[in-house]
Amino acid sequence: MTHSSNQKLVVALGGNAISIPGEQGTIDQQFAHCQQTARLLCDAIEQGYQLVITHGNGPQVGNVLRRSEIASSELYPIPLEVCVADTQAGMGYMIAQSLMNECLSRKNPVGVTTLVTTVEVDRRDPAFAAPNKPIGPRLDRADALSHEQKDDWQVVEVDADVFRRVVPSPRPQEILEFPIIRRLVEAEELVVCCGGGGIPVFRNEQGLFEGAAAVIDKDLTTALLASKLGVSTMVILTGVDKVYLDFNGPKQQALDEITTEQARQYLADGQFPAGSMAPKIEAAIAFLDRSQAPETCVIIAELSQLTAALAGE
């Protein structure tokens, strides 16, 4: 795979780029992971790539909601869509600062713009009638029942006597700030946007925008963004080095390269679990189906393998 100079690249950072499972996830820890991630992103910039960066925010939204819950006797609650906005801004700040500092340390100063991004969803989306996206901490039965009755939460049992809140995850329809993003990209600026899939909004009866208590899959929003920007390559960085068939099973098989049709078939066969690889494969298919760019491809790789992945290795 050869790349021209200053090729535009849309890169989706998974949660592990900023928060590691099992860690407390303090701001210092998040900054440390952002700095490690920035080194890999800066390598790509030095190779001539112009980056448009998206990111997940699941652990951070969960922590903001938990903080709001603990403080509920003294402070006002924070709606879910505002949590998405808050974490978008905070995480975008950390990613942008880390990337600017890394490039500065290499005597290659760059500016990075973080754009808090809203994404329109359809309020008739079936997801609103069937919430299935877990957010926030694990709850015992008593807490789960209390939240169901007091806060009108929908909760599901994820393990024996362990519950989590679930919220709708509607499909992204339109990125409202896209014209601004496009102008920034055309001006060859580095952009962080669409964090956490974007702040979900829908049009009310009057045709005006309202926030929705939902979360949008960030990879699906990234696919929409990449196709609208007309890039030829979208990169999804995650916690595994490759996509596998029979993952963690006795016949585990790494996939180096597959076609869209093969991806559809493996997805239909249940090879990719709903909570992990399936949304990434669905996003890859959505981008490739929608894209008008020549020689389109999606790279799914582990964060530390970004340079090797871009080199086709």
Side-chain angles (χ1 to χ4, degrees):
M1 197 188 301
T2 57
H3 297 284
S4 60
S5 175
N6 201 37
Q7 180 174 327
K8 294 174 177 60
L9 196 66
V10 174
V11 180
L13 300 178
N16 67 318
I18 298 159
S19 289
I20 303 296
E23 278 189 351
Q24 190 180 357
T26 65
I27 296 298
D28 284 346
Q29 287 170 338
Q30 290 184 55
F31 253 122
H33 295 309
C34 282
Q35 287 155 4
Q36 292 166 355
T37 299
R39 287 196 277 276
L40 297 161
L41 297 177
C42 198
D43 289 344
I45 292 168
E46 289 184 337
Q47 290 168 14
Y49 291 97
Q50 179 190 343
L51 305 183
V52 182
I53 301 162
T54 68
H55 61 86
N57 66 348
Q60 289 77 12
V61 164
N63 285 336
V64 173
L65 288 170
R66 179 69 178 137
R67 190 179 294 123
S68 178
E69 183 187 339
I70 291 168
S72 61
S73 62
E74 294 190 27
L75 295 171
Y76 53 85
I78 301 177
L80 179 53
E81 65 273 22
V82 179
C83 290
V84 175
D86 287 354
T87 53
Q88 255 197 37
M91 295 172 74
Y93 156 70
M94 288 189 281
I95 294 166
Q97 187 186 92
S98 299
L99 190 50
M100 286 192 288
N101 282 344
E102 179 63 27
C103 291
L104 268 176
S105 72
R106 301 189 193 190
K107 308 291 189 288
N108 181 27
V110 298
V112 184
T113 300
T114 294
L115 197 66
V116 174
T117 317
T118 42
V119 172
E120 185 176 357
V121 299
D122 185 345
R123 65 187 181 132
R124 295 161 301 188
D125 190 304
F128 285 106
N132 65 354
K133 180 73 172 176
I135 61 164
R138 293 156 75 87
L139 307 165
D140 61 27
R141 187 178 296 273
D143 280 341
L145 285 171
S146 171
H147 282 300
E148 267 190 321
Q149 294 161 2
K150 182 166 56 92
D151 303 314
D152 205 25
W153 284 10
Q154 290 190 258
V155 297
V156 296
E157 191 169 11
V158 291
D159 282 315
D161 276 337
V162 177
F163 298 80
R164 289 187 74 188
R165 179 186 180 186
V166 288
V167 298
S169 186
R171 294 184 77 83
Q173 301 295 320
E174 196 62 59
I175 300 164
L176 297 189
E177 290 79 9
F178 180 73
I180 301 163
I181 296 169
R182 183 171 55 201
R183 288 201 294 273
L184 287 166
V185 172
E186 286 172 352
E188 300 193 352
E189 301 290 346
L190 301 183
V191 182
V192 181
C193 61
C194 297
I199 306 159
V201 298
F202 63 86
R203 290 183 187 266
N204 63 18
E205 302 287 357
Q206 291 76 42
L208 306 178
F209 292 113
E210 273 184 40
V215 291
I216 305 169
D217 183 83
K218 59 99 179 159
D219 293 318
L220 286 176
T221 299
T222 302
L224 179 60
L225 174 69
S227 61
K228 286 173 71 73
L229 284 173
V231 302
S232 59
T233 305
M234 179 173 96
V235 181
I236 299 175
L237 296 176
T238 184
V240 292
D241 58 340
K242 293 184 181 185
V243 176
Y244 289 89
L245 298 180
D246 194 30
F247 185 56
N248 280 341
K251 297 179 180 176
Q252 177 172 292
Q253 177 192 346
L255 298 174
D256 289 328
E257 190 171 294
I258 57 172
T259 64
T260 314
E261 287 314 307
Q262 287 172 314
R264 277 190 233 278
Q265 189 58 56
Y266 291 141
L267 197 58
D269 292 343
Q271 278 288 347
F272 307 125
S276 56
M277 191 54 69
K280 295 170 178 54
I281 298 296
E282 288 170 3
I285 293 169
F287 166 67
L288 294 167
D289 281 350
R290 220 185 264 127
S291 177
Q292 301 296 311
E295 296 185 17
T296 48
C297 76
V298 177
I299 295 169
I300 301 176
E302 204 269 328
L303 178 64
S304 65
Q305 300 297 315
L306 175 60
T307 302
L310 290 175
E313 297 167 15

